[in-house]
Amino acid sequence: MKATKVHENWVNGYKKVNESVEDLEVLYDFLKEGEASEEEVEAKYVATIEEMEDLEFRSTLNKPEDELSCLLEINAGAGGTESNDWAEMLLRMYTMYADKNNFKWSQLNRVDGDVAGIKSAVIEIIGDYSYGFLKGENGVHRLVRISPFNAQGKRQTSFASVFVHPLIDDSIEIEINPADIDWDTFRASGAGGQHVNKTESAVRVRHAPSGLVVECQEERSQHLNKEKALKMLKSRLYDLEIKKQHAERDKVEAGKTKIEWGAQIRSYVLDDRRVKDHRSNYQTSQTDAVLDGDLGAFIKAFLMIGAK
């Protein structure tokens, strides 16, 4: 049923564009006969072009994993409170992006900063093609602003890294040998009430062959957290396999190894009111809108690079 739904979406998308082109041709004939205005033809032309470009953009999401949901991980770079605050700003940006696009999301793990912000966080974003849309967010994000934590009001630069992994579903089988994993339990951190902090409901799983470590503290039940952590581990392993199959992604991964100057994929310069993606060169002055989750133009610009 899921595969049928995907095919139907593509067929319906083509039919919609084809009908718009035919309607435009008819309207143009009316114009030549004096039965339609140039403004009507121009408006229909612009609408048809937008529909075609949107379908072309969606056609870039053509890999099997693109239609999956995703796990999005954020890690603060060196810089203490400044970077921790920036990491939390990114967390807010992506959760707002999910809300704006009718994706469901939940926070699976969070490590708060010592003073403000977060050191790291993992969220699950559920929705068709959420991985395909967000996979281009992989990399280092750089923030430049007048620091609210600096009494002298100096300009500060902060870094945080973002990792996006496809979230496997029942159509993908990943086998894990129980002998290859070790479990730890610990008390959940952060808000959640007395029950969360007084019981060891949070879990950590280590996968020896790959070296992957996954934590989950979303649920109050240790059993449910183990189920979620195992699913997260399988998604990470699937992501590793994808990277082996698509060697060109190694270049992207290499750019994420250092959370510092020169490795960033996007810069957010707030005092100059400018956000620029260094891969597509797309930029905007609408910094507030971007930080409120308006990422569509950046995502489209990046995906269209790969389509050319």
Side-chain angles (χ1 to χ4, degrees):
M1 290 179 66
K2 185 176 181 180
T4 300
K5 180 181 177 181
V6 171
H7 293 314
E8 284 181 346
N9 287 338
W10 285 115
V11 172
N12 291 336
Y14 168 78
K15 287 181 177 179
K16 182 179 179 181
V17 170
N18 189 55
E19 289 174 359
S20 291
V21 172
E22 291 178 349
D23 290 345
L24 178 61
E25 291 174 344
V26 171
L27 195 61
Y28 181 66
D29 289 337
F30 285 166
L31 173 66
K32 290 189 290 185
E33 295 174 5
E35 298 179 5
S37 66
E38 291 185 1
E39 290 76 13
E40 290 176 309
V41 174
E42 178 66 21
K44 182 61 180 178
Y45 172 77
V46 170
T48 302
I49 291 297
E50 289 179 352
E51 289 179 4
M52 292 178 67
E53 289 180 345
D54 181 66
L55 192 62
E56 181 184 11
F57 160 58
R58 290 181 177 275
S59 73
T60 64
L61 304 177
N62 53 18
K63 293 183 173 59
E65 66 271 18
D66 285 340
E67 64 188 64
L68 299 175
S69 298
C70 69
L71 295 173
L72 189 144
E73 177 182 350
I74 300 171
N75 294 293
T81 302
E82 290 287 347
S83 293
N84 291 345
D85 187 55
W86 172 224
E88 187 169 40
M89 290 170 65
L90 285 175
L91 176 61
R92 175 182 177 273
M93 181 179 77
Y94 288 117
T95 55
M96 292 190 72
Y97 169 81
D99 290 337
K100 289 176 184 292
N101 289 274
N102 297 318
F103 294 143
K104 296 180 180 179
W105 65 271
S106 59
Q107 187 170 268
L108 303 184
N109 193 49
R110 176 189 175 112
V111 179
D112 290 321
D114 296 331
V115 177
I118 58 172
K119 294 180 180 179
S120 64
V122 179
I123 58 175
E124 178 184 63
I125 302 178
I126 303 296
D128 292 343
Y129 291 95
S130 65
Y131 174 72
F133 286 122
L134 289 169
K135 63 183 179 180
E137 297 300 297
N138 268 317
V140 177
H141 296 246
R142 167 179 169 249
L143 171 71
V144 181
R145 64 172 174 174
I146 303 299
S147 171
F149 302 101
N150 189 304
Q152 299 176 341
K154 291 185 177 180
R155 201 183 204 211
Q156 296 283 344
T157 300
S158 307
F159 299 91
S161 66
V162 175
F163 299 83
V164 185
H165 313 286
L167 184 62
I168 63 171
D169 57 18
D170 294 338
S171 65
I172 300 171
E173 294 185 6
I174 302 293
E175 294 185 4
I176 297 178
N177 188 342
D180 290 338
I181 59 177
D182 292 316
W183 292 96
D184 291 330
T185 59
F186 58 97
R187 292 184 182 181
S189 61
Q194 294 180 349
H195 177 76
V196 172
N197 294 321
K198 289 188 175 181
T199 61
E200 293 191 344
S201 58
V203 300
R204 180 185 299 112
V205 59
R206 294 181 175 86
H207 185 251
S210 65
L212 292 175
V213 179
V214 173
E215 294 182 358
C216 183
Q217 54 180 309
E218 177 193 15
E219 307 289 347
R220 293 192 173 193
S221 163
Q222 185 184 114
H223 175 71
L224 293 176
N225 279 331
K226 281 190 173 183
E227 286 186 357
K228 185 75 72 172
L230 199 57
K231 188 175 182 180
M232 292 167 65
L233 177 60
K234 289 181 178 180
S235 293
R236 296 279 296 275
L237 290 171
Y238 179 60
D239 193 30
L240 287 177
E241 183 60 30
I242 290 174
K243 289 178 174 63
K244 292 177 184 178
Q245 296 175 2
H246 303 284
E248 66 270 15
R249 292 192 184 182
D250 291 344
K251 296 179 181 179
V252 175
E253 296 301 312
K256 297 190 295 184
T257 56
K258 293 184 179 180
I259 312 177
E260 59 185 26
W261 188 278
Q264 68 270 6
I265 63 164
R266 189 177 300 148
S267 293
Y268 307 70
V269 187
L270 302 192
D271 50 340
D272 287 345
R273 301 203 61 78
R274 173 171 53 87
V275 181
K276 180 178 180 179
D277 193 290
H278 301 290
R279 302 159 301 176
S280 65
N281 287 324
Y282 178 83
Q283 65 178 7
T284 178
S285 61
Q286 304 299 316
T287 54
D288 292 341
V290 173
L291 293 176
D292 284 343
D294 189 4
L295 300 172
F298 285 99
I299 290 171
K300 182 176 181 179
F302 172 77
L303 291 176
M304 291 304 292
I305 291 176
K308 294 179 180 180

